[in-house]
Amino acid sequence: MINESIDSKEVRLVDQNGEQVGVVSRDKALEMAKEAELDLVAVAPDSKPPVCRIMNYGKTLFDKKKQ
């Protein structure tokens, strides 16, 4: 799940530098991702709250296909 498809009201956020931000609202996390011109990606969607990371999702997919 990425960006607006994340349906939880709160998420545990990891920023683009790998630093723990903590539990924030999904809207705040989306705002932070947009400011960084990156995507909000759920890396552990089954956690309570889900763990999300700010990253370049397109680049990540490209790198996986390349391997």
Side-chain angles (χ1 to χ4, degrees), residues 27-43:
D27 294 336
K28 171 81 171 154
L30 282 170
E31 181 181 315
M32 290 173 68
K34 285 181 183 178
E35 285 176 5
E37 298 181 357
L38 296 170
D39 299 302
L40 181 65
V41 180
V43 293

Side-chain angles (χ1 to χ4, degrees), residues 22-64:
V23 178
V24 298
S25 71
R26 181 192 75 132
D27 294 336
K28 171 81 171 154
L30 282 170
E31 181 181 315
M32 290 173 68
K34 285 181 183 178
E35 285 176 5
E37 298 181 357
L38 296 170
D39 299 302
L40 181 65
V41 180
V43 293
D46 295 330
S47 300
K48 299 290 182 209
V51 178
C52 295
R53 176 178 222 134
I54 296 175
M55 66 170 68
N56 184 336
Y57 188 65
K59 183 179 182 305
T60 302
L61 285 180
F62 177 78
D63 290 344
K64 285 186 180 181

